[in-house]
Amino acid sequence: MTYTAKDFSDLIGMQGFSDTLLKNHFTLYQGYVTNTNKLMDLLAVMLREDKMGSPQYAELKRRMGFEFNGMRLHEYYFENLGGTGPLLHRAGQLGKKLAEDFGSYENWERDFKGTGMIRGIGWAILYQDNETRKLFNQWINEHETGHPAGCIPVLVMDVFEHAYIVDYGLKRVDYIEGFFKNINWRVVEGRLK
């Protein structure tokens, strides 16, 4: 199977995100798609050649998680952008679930923003546990490290510097506010199970 980069050009012109920032970010995403495909091809060749016990095979398998998750997390991120403001339907499915699991929408938002402000590079992700359906916010280092097993990403925020430094410098808090102004809540709610 070959992966194809999705087209997120409809986000160009989004308030709070310059065209330069978005185009750079799309190029980075394209690199993850390209590298995922290259790794899959290399691993298929090594399998055919019975090289599964080699250090090269092991390292490519490890790298696959980084490249694949880099591709997929960027897709979740871009897909949950393009909205026009705050969650207006707090009485809807998502609003009720956030209030149920965090005590209130405001508690969830403070926790999510706080998660996004954790020092370092990574991702802030609102997950839903497949088994209990409970929502919780999680910090993810790199792309392949720290994902809770059996959980669905519901809202994904990229907090690597490439996601904001062109427009916001080191002011991550301002980027997070810009992110919140552009969440596509319909997409986020559609990810709930």
Side-chain angles (χ1 to χ4, degrees):
M1 169 176 205
T2 300
Y3 291 96
T4 303
K6 296 181 180 182
D7 180 9
F8 296 108
S9 62
D10 61 321
L11 296 177
I12 297 292
M14 183 171 54
Q15 183 181 355
F17 291 78
S18 70
D19 293 355
T20 299
L21 177 105
L22 288 170
K23 288 175 183 177
N24 287 344
H25 210 163
F26 299 156
T27 300
L28 181 82
Y29 157 66
Q30 174 64 58
Y32 289 116
V33 176
T34 299
N35 286 335
T36 295
N37 289 324
K38 285 180 184 176
L39 283 171
M40 292 184 82
D41 290 344
L42 286 168
L43 288 166
V45 168
M46 294 185 89
L47 180 64
R48 280 194 306 273
E49 295 174 357
D50 199 26
K51 294 182 179 178
M52 288 81 63
S54 70
Q56 295 84 359
Y57 182 81
E59 288 308 310
L60 291 176
K61 279 289 192 178
R62 288 185 182 104
R63 186 67 188 186
M64 185 67 185
F66 179 82
E67 299 295 346
F68 183 88
N69 283 359
M71 173 185 71
R72 191 52 44 87
L73 288 171
H74 278 95
E75 290 171 352
Y76 284 131
Y77 171 73
F78 292 133
E79 288 167 357
N80 63 213
L81 286 174
T84 57
L87 177 62
L88 298 177
H89 305 291
R90 294 199 187 171
Q93 180 186 8
L94 178 61
K96 286 179 183 176
K97 189 69 178 136
L98 290 169
E100 175 185 323
D101 291 344
F102 289 89
S104 70
Y105 169 88
E106 292 77 16
N107 283 344
W108 165 76
E109 184 176 310
R110 283 185 321 140
D111 186 60
F112 189 85
K113 287 178 177 179
T115 302
M117 287 301 298
I118 291 174
R119 187 168 166 76
I121 56 170
W123 302 84
I125 301 178
L126 170 65
Y127 281 102
Q128 184 176 38
D129 182 339
N130 271 333
E131 191 168 319
T132 66
R133 304 293 190 238
K134 181 171 175 49
L135 297 173
F136 62 95
N137 297 318
Q138 180 71 29
W139 173 264
I140 301 301
N141 251 3
E142 295 296 333
H143 308 308
E144 79 282 19
T145 307
H147 293 280
C151 296
I152 302 163
V154 177
L155 176 66
V156 174
M157 181 172 65
D158 189 341
V159 285
F160 279 81
E161 286 90 352
H162 66 253
Y164 61 88
I165 204 161
V166 169
D167 291 349
Y168 295 97
L170 297 176
K171 297 177 183 171
R172 190 186 295 187
V173 70
D174 293 344
Y175 159 70
I176 292 172
E177 290 304 318
F179 173 84
F180 263 78
K181 290 177 183 171
N182 288 286
I183 294 172
N184 186 332
W185 292 105
R186 182 186 50 76
V187 168
V188 176
E189 187 166 67
R191 293 174 179 162
L192 286 178
K193 300 292 179 199

